[in-house]
Amino acid sequence: MNRIRLKQATGASQAPDISIEYLTRIEQGRDRNPSIAVVNALADALSRDPSERNRVRYLSKIIAGACSGHAQPAPPRRDVRPSVLETLRVLEPGIAMVTNRLGDVLAHTSAFESVTSGTGLLDADNPNLTRCVFTDARARTFFTDWDDVADEQAFDLWLAPSVDNSEWFTTELAPLAGLAFARRLNCHVVPQRGVLRLNHPSGCRLELLHETLDLSADARQLVVFLPVDERTAQAVEQLRHRPH
């Protein structure tokens, strides 16, 4: 039987060993539930960029009927690699955080804390952006384009690399978030990721571009926020020097 080996995007030495016949079944739609490893390896073999890879995973979940029926999952890990923490230190005084597709805020710069101060996001022992967006009334004022942010958080949760983690978090969130969350999670709306506009409780209005870098080794993301203009840059600087 002819077989090929695909190089995974993670750079792992052991990539999936896939038969030509199996690839043919996928192409012809006769196999509708390839594993995440196979989907990622195919995307890498086709030289897809990060947004296109997310789209491939999105479509594969749609075709597979998106999944249910798993054993009781464990909460996701919250540790962050020392090298990633050092990267955050280097980014100071910039605005940056480490998160995952569940919305957990795992680490952040001091500027990120300043920009989100007074919003309740970092008040919890285990802060989570998705929970804040859907359950804290302050979020609807803080995020000027709340609907767009809500779409983005729900879509990222649905794309979470571990279905078990998604189910665990959804069980925690759904009873509190209500229909606004459930409708988005079930509709799979692909978000429009543009300028993030914020109304800080201090009265500052901020406009930030955000770049997301996948940390594929541990399913984390490094998100860096950049002021779009000098007015926002000055406002961020003022927030950084405000007493907390």
Side-chain angles (χ1 to χ4, degrees):
M1 179 182 293
N2 293 327
R3 308 183 76 83
I4 62 173
R5 173 154 292 181
L6 300 177
K7 179 182 177 183
Q8 290 179 303
T10 59
S13 58
Q14 294 300 317
D17 193 12
I18 303 174
S19 71
I20 299 296
E21 289 79 2
Y22 181 55
L23 286 177
T24 301
R25 290 204 306 273
I26 294 176
E27 182 182 18
Q28 294 175 345
R30 292 186 287 131
D31 189 305
R32 294 174 174 266
N33 194 24
S35 69
I36 296 233
V38 169
V39 172
N40 286 341
L42 287 171
D44 190 59
L46 294 170
S47 301
R48 302 296 88 180
D49 63 30
S51 64
E52 291 171 328
R53 291 172 63 83
N54 285 341
R55 184 66 177 174
V56 169
R57 290 179 58 199
Y58 166 63
L59 292 174
S60 70
K61 281 193 172 189
I62 287 282
I63 293 171
C67 51
S68 60
H70 292 76
Q72 182 64 33
R77 294 173 53 185
R78 299 189 62 90
D79 57 299
V80 178
R81 285 181 287 135
S83 59
V84 176
L85 294 175
E86 178 64 15
T87 300
L88 282 180
R89 189 192 68 78
V90 171
L91 288 172
E92 292 280 7
I95 312 165
M97 69 169 176
V98 177
T99 185
N100 55 28
R101 290 195 179 279
L102 305 183
D104 293 319
V105 180
L106 305 173
H108 55 81
T109 62
S110 59
F112 180 85
E113 182 174 1
S114 297
V115 167
T116 59
S117 62
T119 67
L121 172 59
L122 298 180
D123 291 353
D125 292 336
N126 296 321
N128 183 281
L129 180 58
T130 308
R131 181 174 60 239
C132 177
V133 167
F134 285 103
T135 68
D136 194 319
R138 290 171 290 185
R140 291 181 179 264
T141 300
F142 180 56
F143 296 105
T144 304
D145 305 301
W146 183 88
D147 284 304
D148 293 338
V149 173
D151 287 343
E152 183 174 339
Q153 292 306 123
F155 187 75
D156 280 348
L157 175 58
W158 187 73
L159 275 180
S162 168
V163 172
D164 286 346
N165 285 350
S166 296
E167 290 181 349
W168 172 83
F169 188 70
T170 301
T171 300
E172 294 283 321
L173 178 64
L176 298 174
L179 293 177
F181 169 73
R183 177 175 58 81
R184 285 176 168 84
L185 192 64
N186 293 326
C187 287
H188 319 311
V189 175
V190 180
Q192 301 296 319
R193 304 176 192 263
V195 174
L196 179 64
R197 300 191 298 161
L198 305 175
N199 297 310
H200 192 271
S202 67
C204 295
R205 294 184 180 274
L206 310 175
E207 294 188 355
L208 303 168
L209 295 172
H210 50 302
E211 294 290 342
T212 300
L213 308 175
D214 284 325
L215 307 174
S216 56
D218 48 11
R220 305 286 196 267
Q221 296 172 307
L222 173 63
V223 186
V224 181
F225 301 86
L226 306 170
V228 300
D229 52 28
E230 184 60 27
R231 178 189 60 80
T232 296
Q234 291 178 359
V236 170
E237 191 65 15
Q238 291 173 3
L239 290 173
R240 287 186 56 243
H241 291 93
R242 289 177 71 233
H244 295 290

